[in-house]
Amino acid sequence: MARALVIGGGPAGLMAAEELARAGHSVLLAEAKPTLARKFLMAGKSGLNLTKDEPLDRFLTAYSPDWVRPLIADFGPAAVTAFARGLGIALFTGTTGRVFPTGMKASPMLRAWIARLTGMGVELRTRWHWQGFDGDAFVFDTPEGRATLRPEVTVLALGGASWPRLGSDAAWVPWLAARGVEIAPFRPANMGLMVAWSVHMVPFLGQPVKGAALVTPGARSRGEFVLSARGIEGGGVYAIAAAVREGAPLTLDLVPDGDAEALARRIAHVSPKESASNRLRKALRLDPVKLALLNEWGRPLPSDPIALAQRVKALPVRHIGPRPLAEAISSAGGITRAALGEGLELAALPGVFAAGEMLDWEAPTGGYLLTGCLATGRVAGRAAAQRLRR
């Protein structure tokens, strides 16, 4: 029997398995789905943003809470790019600093990684569904029937609670909670916001909003977002989603490169006999999507140029809350810092470690999520390997 067990075949689990195998230990990796790393492969459909090429101190500010940052500091952007290149994956860096495989796919990297792991002796078992504990043993439903394992160390990398159809269904929560592991409730992260659009917005649904800024009291996002039938979504929204989820008010600056005073002067040069929409179109060259949003969320539009300019600069976003957790790109919540000892070992379950989105941390999209999963998987795998050497 393998001395080390890893449950979960996503990036965090694969990294933990590699660290254990590299240290010379026998490893069995159990994955519930028929194939490994389904969420990783899904992320690859949009290009597989591995990490972000920026100074480490700035990179780490994207993570919260603070306790997770030192764990990621040892496997930041430079280490992630070196890791991918070590698997034979050519990379490029986009204009925003985001790092992608040249082929813009996840499958070549996953195949190379799996080949390396099997070459290191890692046993891969798919369709192994963890069913909780039987005393100190881990119980699985497998294609061959029930399996009961008592490894010397275990790394749990089962994901959070977003995209449950890909495997992150949080079924593990009651099993760990019953053993005394403190778990913060899961909440959606990197999610869209729901909007009850009027019928007048139907022609604009599916269109992007460019050259605008979403603003909360503590953040400003210039990223693009999309108007969907369900609301607003996309990178620009995800960057401020956590603050909005916690109750921060949200406004939209339709002309982020101009101040209200200058905009008011431009509006004043257009005849007040024109409609407010026409004045804005002529004075500020607002495109049809921005004018539609202004009419959707800003009516009644004031006639005074200063008040109208202020409305353009701070248009209230009338949303009705986050999209559901199951639709979020990632989740906040999970195993708390208080439940963890050195090396991400569970204080209530000595010899059991946790990594990835099971832990209570969050970060925006843009390469931060994947880097965080790889880094915490590495920490847990190394700590588990160290325990085996005692």
Side-chain angles (χ1 to χ4, degrees), residues 255 258 261-270 279 283-285:
V255 188
E261 195 172 303
L263 299 185
R265 288 196 296 269
R266 289 162 61 183
I267 293 169
H269 288 148
V270 180
R279 295 178 80 191
L284 308 183
R285 297 182 179 177

Side-chain angles (χ1 to χ4, degrees), residues 31-38 125-129 143 165-166:
E31 164 59 41
K33 293 295 184 180
T35 55
L36 300 176
R38 286 199 167 188
R125 298 288 182 267
T126 56
R127 295 186 173 92
W128 274 47
H129 298 263
R165 63 189 176 85
L166 300 180

Side-chain angles (χ1 to χ4, degrees), residues 12 59 63 68 72 75 80 356 361 367-377:
F59 184 84
Y63 295 87
V68 77
I72 296 164
F75 201 75
V80 171
W361 63 275
Y368 302 105
L369 291 171
L370 185 50
T371 298
C373 289
L374 293 169
T376 55

Side-chain angles (χ1 to χ4, degrees), residues 74-95:
D74 287 337
F75 201 75
V80 171
T81 56
F83 173 78
R85 288 187 173 118
L87 289 169
I89 305 302
L91 306 174
F92 76 94
T93 302
T95 55

